[in-house]
Amino acid sequence: MPGQYPVALMVHGRSVPSLPVFKFGADVGPHVRYNWAKYLSKHDVRAFVMDLQGMGLSTRPYEMNDPRNVMVADRSKLVPPVSPTEPYPYPHPLTDTDSELAEVRKVLDWIYDYTGVRKVHLVGYSAASFALGRLAMTNPERVASLFLLAPVFPPYGLSARPIPYPVGYPPMRVVNKQEMITSWNNDAAFGAQRQPGIDDKMWGWTAMWDSTGSHWGNVSRYPNTLRWGWNKAEVQNNQNLGITVPVAIVRGNSDSQIILPTDPTDPNRRLPANFDDPGLTEKAGPPFNAKWLYFAIPGAKKLSITIYNTGHFMPWETQHDVLHTYSAQWIKGGSVDGYSQGMFLRHWSSGQLLPTA
């Protein structure tokens, strides 16, 4: 019956489509335990999974079929490589904040027609926070709650759509196996733990949804999306996050992609020492810091949990089961291990949630 169970919409991040993130391991076999969506469905949550335009099983813009539209910095990954002096045939963003919001709203309309459920729990991984966070800020009547894993949050990102709209913008990026595993190994150096061989399996699941990319040197393509409206200023001034829309943030302490750079010579080290200090000049891109997202959310209905020995690739790491459990608890009851707000650290041995600043 409509409304019998809570409904969740799961959305992927920047470079890995939804099926490898949320349905990894399929429904049977040795890796089925990693299947996040299946776990939710077995625990009385109706889980829907979507791919944004240009990713996974969704339609790819025609311009993505031209390797000259790959960002100059990524062209050396292609086989054969494309000259860095070749201009982009389509020198504009293929997708942006407005297009992503329109896509998610369209899927929510379909879910409503299919289930009769108007308010949906949004589950987002990594860069999905841009679209899902903005949706909760602008359409709180559609959102029951937010559950964000390793959310990308640029405190000094762009507040609004650039005017004029960029020309000469790289429309597409690619990632290859070496790059992805190197990034994962960076997290492993900080303690992230994974099963031997799971990185090969994960890359296979990522690349299998891009047959064109497999002929370009075994890469996976994704739009170089232009995003705005998801920064410290916009979140702080919003009256929905943590007020009408509860927010849960889960991240790993070994995540090297959403932590503040500590090297004083790092050009991305743009955050002032104190969160309340005046902001710096806005720009697209890093630094990214999930902890600052928690501080920026104005309401009290917010929960942040840091899990030891996990990184940015938590869905495929040894503590994926903790992630599954936390998401089901949050969606069904609005709390995790009895807590609905505050900052916590999951003890590496006991599994208890310990309050932290």
Side-chain angles (χ1 to χ4, degrees), residues 81-273:
V82 175
S83 169
T85 61
E86 281 273 0
Y88 303 119
Y90 184 83
H92 312 279
L94 291 172
T95 58
D96 60 25
T97 287
D98 285 348
S99 69
E100 287 192 338
L101 284 174
E103 291 176 42
V104 178
R105 286 176 180 136
K106 193 68 174 179
V107 171
L108 289 180
D109 290 341
W110 182 90
I111 290 175
Y112 174 66
D113 291 340
Y114 186 75
T115 67
V117 174
R118 179 67 173 173
K119 277 199 168 188
V120 173
H121 298 270
L122 301 179
V123 178
Y125 172 48
S126 189
S129 61
F130 284 93
L132 301 190
R134 285 292 299 168
L135 185 68
M137 293 165 67
T138 56
N139 294 102
E141 75 282 357
R142 308 293 302 273
V143 183
S145 75
L146 275 179
F147 183 93
L148 301 177
L149 168 63
V152 175
F153 181 68
Y156 300 108
L158 301 178
S159 288
R161 183 182 191 271
I163 299 175
Y165 204 64
V167 176
Y169 192 89
M172 177 174 51
R173 300 206 61 181
V174 297
V175 61
N176 60 22
K177 180 179 179 180
Q178 179 182 357
E179 180 184 9
M180 186 167 288
I181 292 181
T182 296
S183 180
W184 204 345
N185 288 339
N186 289 339
D187 287 5
F190 290 104
Q193 300 173 354
R194 65 182 189 258
Q195 176 187 359
I198 202 67
D199 44 8
D200 290 330
K201 186 75 174 179
M202 180 265 190
W203 171 253
W205 263 67
T206 299
M208 70 184 293
W209 309 107
D210 189 357
S211 58
T212 297
S214 67
H215 295 293
W216 289 4
N218 195 23
V219 299
S220 181
R221 301 169 295 161
Y222 60 95
N224 190 32
T225 304
L226 178 63
R227 299 182 171 102
W228 59 83
W230 182 243
N231 62 14
K232 174 185 171 184
E234 293 297 305
V235 170
Q236 280 186 319
N237 292 328
N238 184 262
Q239 295 304 305
N240 294 313
L241 294 181
I243 302 171
T244 56
V245 178
V247 183
I249 300 168
V250 174
R251 62 190 181 98
N253 77 312
S254 306
D255 191 330
S256 61
Q257 298 191 36
I258 57 168
I259 59 175
L260 174 66
T262 55
D263 180 358
T265 65
D266 190 325
N268 291 327
R269 193 178 189 275
R270 303 172 62 251
L271 297 182

Side-chain angles (χ1 to χ4, degrees), residues 19 33 46 60 63 66 106-107 115 129 139 163 177 192 223 232 246 254 302 335 337 354:
L19 291 182
R33 65 185 182 277
R46 301 187 71 178
R60 285 179 171 81
E63 291 78 11
D66 190 333
K106 193 68 174 179
V107 171
T115 67
S129 61
N139 294 102
I163 299 175
K177 180 179 179 180
K232 174 185 171 184
S254 306
K302 57 182 179 180
S335 64
D337 288 355
L354 307 177

